[in-house]
Amino acid sequence: MARTADLDRVVLIVLRQMRGPVLLLIVIYAVGISVMALLPGSGPDGGRMSLFHAFYFLTYTTTTTGFGEIPEAFSELQRLWAIFCLFMGVIGWLYAVGSIIQLVQNPHFRQALAEQNFAHNVTRIAQPFFIVCGFGDTGSLLARGLSDEGWVGVIIDSEPDRIKALGLRDYQVTMVGTCADASVPRHLLDAGIQHPLCRGVVALTNNEHINLKIAVMARFLNPAVRVVSRSTDPRHQEELAMLDSMEVVDPFDSFARQLSAAVHVPLLNVLTDWLIGARDVDLNKPPLLPRGTWILCGYGRMGRHLHEELRKLDIPLIAIDPKMEDADTVKQKIIGHTTDKTLRQARIEQAVGIVAGTDSDSNNLSILLRARALNKEIFRVVRQNRHEHEIAFNAANAHLIMQPSLVTARRILLMLIAPLIAPFLEYLRQHHVIVLESLVHRLKKAVGDDKPQLWTTEITSTDAMAVASLQRRGYAVTVGDICRSPADRKQLLGCVPMVLARDKQIVMLPQTGHVLELGDHILFCGTLHAQRLLEATLNNHYTLHYLITGTEEPRSYFFRWLERRRSRVEQSQT
């Protein structure tokens, strides 16, 4: 609900703007009606007009209706006063209408009214939602991902044009937005940070300090809500890490890990993109990055992370950058801009890959052209800084495009919709030889050509009523039981249990015989149809009983009585 302070602010602006016009109209009507009622009429007895007739006359003449002189023809004095009242009324109403137009155009009034409407719209949200602070490239991509996954987003951005663009997007679910400073506590309150359905706050502004401030404010306003912040500054990352349960995403570190996985574990890199629903991803043909000497053009924030990750894989790296005097950890470096001369100096003819990783899109595209001219077979990786340049980068024919905003949006989307995915991917990174190929085979069999869905199921007395009911009766419900098809228990649903979390214990790829307990959280990957069937099974006592025992439990009172009677007869015979 909109706070009283917001309503008072709107009312105050209206009263202050309309005080003069309203007082002027009151004076004009009061004087006009009083004098008209005192002036003598044209009748033989000089009867005066009543106050009601005077008010009625001024009312219909103000609307230019003109019903005539009532209750009888006016005297000369009355007509003279009517002329005066008409001119004064026109002036008063012109002044009032002009004030109303100024009020509508008043930025403070419009902002207060917009904030009130925004807070009211947030209270009408009836499903879980996330607050996204910042609607730039990353925020826009994240909002699109949330919409595709069926999650509601509440958007806050300080740029009016971005909020206007929000209203033009064709989202599948509700996306509420407002133009405001997200670091101000009352705007976070308006966005529903204390709403029981709020699932998290994401700080994605272009200002590191504002992201830190949003995270701090969100932690104090609602300590239970998840807070995710983008940060590329080590100092701010350290400050954010001091906050409890804070999740920090560095797009350059994320891409460095992604590139490292593409070299070391290509199937894991493709699987991650497939899980998030990226287009043109083929699990059967993961792209293989060549091993050998790589050239890194640009040793900024992204370059440092890439150098660190590739060094762990013992991949030779030659860095080119005009500002590398303090880069003591780089064994092979060339101080200067990326030109044909420096590329030849880096022996591009023998290199297997090149990374154009500067903070200028035009420079990166130019590096690609030079590299392709000097070595047509070299593997080309390019950094795309602005999402609006996507068409040009697609035309550049690079093997791998690193877009920080897209990398960040995908990473955060995975964290939001599947909180257990991070430890699972780290587990696959460490045990890829043993389980990765088997997992990919199971996922392809379960999902097929459908879009993969990630969801977390909570085994509680409210979200899994059938499980709780059968456990009270002594039945052991396993992971395999809830993954059976209600149509035929011998068949499995199109889903794979990936992680089971119980208290502080995490089980990766739980077996079908793993017994469930209340409080368990299970991360599934499968089809949307399988998700709906599984959720229905968890809350249908009779369906789950059939999946566990293979027999259908009587549903009506008569058949339950008949079943008890049959059981007693069998017991007496034995």
Side-chain angles (χ1 to χ4, degrees):
M1 179 169 49
R3 300 187 309 281
T4 305
D6 293 332
L7 296 174
D8 291 343
R9 192 148 48 93
V10 175
V11 173
L12 180 62
I13 293 175
V14 173
L15 292 178
R16 184 172 56 189
Q17 187 77 15
M18 297 302 298
R19 179 175 52 191
V22 171
L23 288 177
L24 178 61
L25 288 175
I26 291 175
V27 170
I28 291 175
Y29 271 75
V31 174
I33 293 171
S34 300
V35 175
M36 183 65 75
L38 293 175
L39 292 176
S42 60
D45 56 350
R48 292 180 175 84
M49 186 183 298
S50 67
L51 290 175
F52 174 76
H53 283 156
F55 173 74
Y56 177 60
F57 168 74
L58 289 179
T59 300
Y60 71 66
T61 52
T62 302
T63 60
T64 68
T65 305
F67 286 140
E69 300 175 350
I70 56 129
E72 57 187 17
F74 288 176
S75 65
E76 298 301 327
L77 287 177
Q78 286 178 322
R79 289 172 179 169
L80 182 62
W81 183 248
I83 294 173
F84 176 78
C85 291
L86 290 175
F87 279 107
M88 292 305 297
V90 170
I91 295 174
W93 277 108
L94 287 177
Y95 178 39
V97 172
S99 299
I100 293 174
I101 295 175
Q102 290 181 357
L103 175 63
V104 174
Q105 295 176 342
N106 188 312
H108 300 290
F109 172 75
R110 297 175 65 178
Q111 179 67 20
L113 197 61
E115 290 178 5
Q116 178 188 350
N117 292 335
F118 169 72
H120 177 67
N121 291 333
V122 170
T123 60
R124 298 173 61 186
I125 298 177
Q127 63 188 96
F129 63 91
F130 293 99
I131 301 174
V132 180
C133 304
F135 197 64
D137 287 347
T138 306
S140 176
L141 291 169
L142 178 60
R144 174 62 62 185
L146 289 174
S147 171
D148 294 341
E149 296 294 332
W151 287 87
V152 174
V154 176
I155 314 297
I156 307 177
D157 195 282
S158 58
E159 295 293 334
D161 292 339
R162 293 177 179 175
I163 298 301
K164 291 178 181 178
L166 174 65
L168 302 177
R169 306 292 173 88
D170 55 338
Y171 294 120
Q172 299 180 12
V173 295
T174 303
M175 291 288 170
V176 183
T178 186
C179 180
D181 183 359
S183 63
V184 178
R186 66 182 180 86
H187 293 152
L188 289 175
L189 291 173
D190 283 344
I193 192 172
Q194 295 181 343
H195 196 288
L197 293 177
C198 180
R199 294 293 181 264
V201 179
V202 185
L204 296 176
T205 71
N206 295 324
N207 189 308
E208 297 271 358
H209 180 70
I210 292 180
N211 288 340
L212 175 61
K213 188 176 178 181
I214 292 172
V216 173
M217 296 297 176
R219 179 57 63 223
F220 279 104
L221 292 174
N222 189 351
V225 76
R226 294 182 64 192
V227 182
V228 182
S229 177
R230 177 183 63 183
S231 178
T232 58
D233 189 328
R235 182 175 62 86
H236 285 93
Q237 292 177 9
E238 183 178 353
E239 294 178 357
L240 288 168
M242 296 174 62
L243 300 175
D244 295 335
S245 304
M246 173 58 61
E247 299 170 270
V248 183
V249 175
D250 186 340
F252 302 112
D253 178 66
S254 299
F255 180 73
R257 289 175 173 268
Q258 179 181 341
L259 185 63
S260 173
V263 175
H264 186 50
V265 198
L267 187 56
L268 176 59
N269 182 53
V270 174
L271 176 62
T272 305
D273 290 340
W274 181 79
L275 288 174
I276 203 63
R279 295 175 296 178
D280 302 327
V281 175
D282 189 356
L283 288 176
N284 298 313
K285 297 179 180 179
L288 301 177
L289 271 66
R291 280 184 170 272
T293 302
W294 280 69
I295 299 175
L296 176 58
C297 303
Y299 196 72
R301 295 171 297 179
M302 173 180 165
R304 291 186 178 90
H305 286 290
L306 282 175
H307 172 256
E308 188 66 26
E309 290 294 328
L310 294 179
R311 188 174 62 174
K312 295 177 182 178
L313 301 177
D314 295 327
I315 295 178
L317 186 69
I318 302 175
I320 303 175
D321 194 279
K323 301 177 181 179
M324 293 189 61
E325 291 81 359
D326 58 343
D328 298 331
T329 58
V330 182
K331 296 181 179 179
Q332 301 184 68
K333 57 184 177 182
I334 300 175
I335 300 176
H337 294 281
T338 304
T339 61
D340 290 348
K341 179 181 178 181
T342 54
L343 288 175
R344 289 192 177 95
Q345 188 178 349
R347 300 184 299 277
I348 190 174
E349 294 83 1
Q350 289 79 37
V352 299
I354 185 172
V355 179
T358 72
D359 57 2
S360 171
D361 283 348
S362 58
N363 288 344
N364 291 337
L365 291 173
S366 177
I367 292 171
L368 286 185
L369 292 176
R370 292 191 179 96
R372 189 166 55 184
L374 297 174
N375 185 350
K376 294 183 179 180
E377 303 300 325
I378 196 169
F379 194 92
R380 299 177 295 277
V381 180
V382 63
R383 169 182 169 184
Q384 177 187 338
N385 296 283
R386 301 291 298 274
H387 183 66
E388 60 191 19
H389 298 156
E390 183 177 8
I391 297 177
F393 277 85
N394 290 337
N397 197 25
H399 294 93
L400 186 60
I401 299 176
M402 186 273 178
Q403 187 178 343
S405 57
L406 182 60
V407 171
T408 306
R410 286 180 174 177
R411 173 77 180 277
I412 294 176
L413 181 61
L414 269 179
M415 295 168 62
L416 295 179
I417 66 176
L420 297 174
I421 195 66
F424 181 70
L425 294 178
E426 186 61 30
Y427 167 78
L428 292 180
R429 184 187 298 273
Q430 297 176 3
H431 303 81
H432 59 91
V433 177
I434 304 173
V435 300
L436 188 54
E437 292 186 0
S438 174
L439 173 64
V440 170
H441 176 74
R442 291 177 61 189
L443 289 174
K444 289 192 295 184
K445 181 179 179 181
V447 178
D449 296 331
D450 293 342
K451 178 184 175 182
Q453 297 285 331
L454 286 171
W455 73 91
T456 301
T457 297
E458 299 182 20
I459 307 300
T460 63
S461 57
T462 55
D463 296 330
M465 294 183 291
V467 176
S469 174
L470 290 175
Q471 284 180 343
R472 287 194 296 267
R473 294 173 53 186
Y475 288 93
V477 184
T478 65
V479 173
D481 292 331
I482 64 175
C483 291
R484 299 177 187 271
S485 172
D488 183 359
R489 66 185 301 268
K490 296 181 180 180
Q491 300 295 326
L492 296 178
L493 295 175
C495 63
V496 176
M498 301 170 69
V499 184
L500 187 147
R502 178 179 300 164
D503 295 329
K504 296 183 179 180
Q505 179 186 4
I506 296 181
V507 179
M508 302 297 177
L509 297 172
Q511 300 298 318
T512 55
H514 197 102
V515 179
L516 297 177
E517 296 181 5
L518 292 181
D520 288 351
H521 290 69
I522 310 174
L523 174 64
F524 286 95
C525 178
T527 63
L528 181 61
H529 179 66
Q531 178 185 359
R532 292 172 177 172
L533 288 179
L534 190 145
E535 291 176 349
T537 297
L538 293 175
N539 292 280
N540 190 308
H541 171 91
Y542 301 102
T543 301
L544 186 57
H545 182 274
Y546 161 72
L547 296 180
I548 295 174
T549 64
T551 60
E552 294 191 15
E553 192 175 30
R555 304 194 179 194
S556 68
Y557 175 80
F558 173 75
F559 284 107
R560 287 198 297 268
W561 173 82
L562 191 63
E563 180 67 19
R564 290 194 298 269
R565 179 181 176 84
R566 185 182 63 81
S567 299
R568 287 196 297 268
V569 171
E570 292 178 353
Q571 291 176 1
S572 63
Q573 292 177 352
T574 58

